[in-house]
Amino acid sequence: MAPSEQVDELFDLKNAFFTGNYQTCINEAQKLKLSDPEQSLERDVLMYRAYMALRKYRVVLEEVGPSSNPTLRPLNMLAQFLSSPSKRDSIVTELDSIMSGNVDVSNYVQLVVAATIYLGVEQPESALRVLHPSDHLECLALRLQALLSIHRPDLAKKELKTMQEKDEDATVTQLAQAWTNMALGGEKIQEAYYIYQEMIDKLGSTALLLNGQAVTFLAQGKYAEAEAALAEAIEKDPNNPETLVNMIVLAQHQGKQPEVSNRYLSQLKDMDPHHSFVVKLGQKEADFDRMVKQYAI
């Protein structure tokens, strides 16, 4: 660290948020007293986002509104988007209108919220467009995610390089490295495993990190190790939909009885009926039924 740089008082808060330790993030944010107004604002942004990650949307909807600081205001739209799947089309239309207007690109929260919503409705090109003006570390990470979603790990590597030049040791940069390694495949998968393991050793295990590690095991055919990681993840957070998705995938790889994966799927549908995995599976089932009717004798 350069002598001129200040100690980041939000360091532990950011680590808790980005590794999926959301309740700790909320608890620490509520205790943290800061004299710098900008840091206080950043603390509140992390706290409200942690509430949303735990699906406690009402806190954000009730506390963040038109009279809130402009940095915080976009979080209300994200809470609406996440809590009201039936309103998502109208929210995206409203967002299109906002982002085509005069946007303050220095408000990284607005860009992160817009990109998160666009990625949530599978519009990665729109996400890339709104993130383009910013070099904020989290905007770079979301750009990288968007590029990976359109199968461009070559371009994601360039974003990763920019992130590493900006802050190589940041948790979000380390996670971005792991995501990119997984997309590149081959020996890079093992490197992704080591990144997750190092984070677990340093910051403690969370469902997010254990799921990341489980995916590296699945990609290498290490099903017993994947099962152990996912069992620990479900203990850490029984309400994490990604754990259930990975358990469904694992059950298929292990050739388990259909009722095993169906049980996980039923839990996922209860927990998050609008999860992309559930939606896509429903589309595939509808396509299959339509084809069966087409070729019925």
Side-chain angles (χ1 to χ4, degrees):
M1 181 183 287
S4 60
E5 285 184 32
Q6 293 183 332
V7 173
D8 185 358
E9 293 184 84
L10 299 173
F11 181 77
D12 291 336
L13 223 59
K14 288 175 183 173
N15 282 342
F17 178 77
F18 287 117
T19 59
N21 204 346
Y22 302 119
Q23 193 58 54
T24 297
C25 179
I26 292 166
N27 296 345
E28 292 305 312
Q30 289 174 338
K31 287 190 287 187
L32 190 60
K33 306 296 180 199
L34 298 164
S35 54
D36 182 344
E38 278 191 31
Q39 292 254 302
S40 298
L41 203 55
E42 180 79 7
R43 174 200 61 202
D44 292 348
V45 168
L46 289 166
M47 180 185 72
Y48 285 129
R49 291 174 69 193
Y51 272 117
M52 284 190 278
L54 293 175
R55 301 170 190 228
K56 296 177 179 177
Y57 308 118
R58 189 179 293 276
V59 174
V60 183
L61 291 169
E62 290 182 353
E63 293 187 15
V64 180
S67 61
S68 299
N69 186 289
T71 300
L72 294 174
R73 273 180 228 154
L75 296 174
N76 183 283
M77 175 178 271
L78 183 57
Q80 288 182 56
F81 176 82
L82 294 171
S83 64
S84 307
S86 62
K87 297 179 184 173
R88 286 183 181 175
D89 287 347
S90 62
I91 291 169
V92 171
T93 302
E94 184 187 346
L95 180 63
D96 287 339
S97 174
I98 291 169
M99 300 312 292
S100 62
N102 188 17
V103 178
D104 176 10
V105 295
S106 68
N107 182 356
Y108 84 95
V109 178
Q110 177 68 71
L111 306 184
V112 165
V113 164
T116 302
I117 290 173
Y118 283 134
L119 288 172
V121 293
E122 298 192 15
Q123 292 184 23
E125 291 84 0
S126 297
L128 287 167
R129 189 184 71 250
V130 299
L131 293 166
H132 179 70
S134 178
D135 67 346
H136 187 280
L137 199 62
E138 198 174 349
C139 289
L140 293 170
L142 277 169
R143 279 216 297 265
L144 185 146
Q145 279 189 336
L147 290 165
L148 291 178
S149 76
I150 55 173
H151 311 293
R152 292 302 306 267
D154 54 323
L155 296 177
K157 278 170 70 178
K158 293 178 182 176
E159 296 293 345
L160 178 61
K161 187 170 184 292
T162 306
M163 291 181 74
Q164 289 169 331
E165 287 166 356
K166 197 170 178 63
D167 190 348
E168 188 172 17
D169 297 326
T171 297
V172 70
T173 305
Q174 294 293 309
L175 287 168
Q177 170 97 62
W179 304 332
T180 307
N181 284 346
M182 282 303 300
L184 292 168
E187 62 188 25
K188 292 287 183 184
I189 294 170
Q190 189 63 18
E191 288 180 28
Y193 161 78
Y194 287 130
I195 291 169
Y196 286 120
Q197 187 57 52
E198 189 179 337
M199 284 191 176
I200 288 169
D201 291 342
K202 191 164 65 173
L203 302 168
S205 62
T206 64
L208 186 149
L209 295 176
L210 289 162
N211 270 289
Q213 204 169 60
V215 171
T216 69
F217 289 136
L218 283 166
Q220 295 176 91
K222 297 178 179 178
Y223 302 136
E225 291 91 335
E227 192 164 19
L230 291 171
E232 189 180 344
I234 207 91
E235 280 184 27
K236 289 276 177 193
D237 180 5
N239 299 312
N240 188 307
E242 303 313 315
T243 307
L244 289 171
V245 170
N246 286 326
M247 286 176 124
I248 292 166
V249 173
L250 175 64
Q252 295 294 321
H253 279 301
Q254 290 178 314
K256 290 191 174 179
Q257 293 296 316
E259 57 263 25
V260 175
S261 52
N262 285 341
R263 202 172 295 137
Y264 294 138
L265 183 60
S266 295
Q267 291 176 66
L268 179 62
K269 285 176 177 175
D270 269 348
M271 189 188 298
D272 190 354
H274 297 277
H275 191 281
S276 60
F277 185 89
V278 175
V279 172
K280 285 176 184 174
L281 185 62
Q283 289 167 349
K284 296 277 189 247
E285 287 172 345
D287 289 344
F288 180 76
D289 289 344
R290 191 168 57 252
M291 287 177 73
V292 167
K293 284 176 186 171
Q294 246 180 330
Y295 295 102
I297 297 171

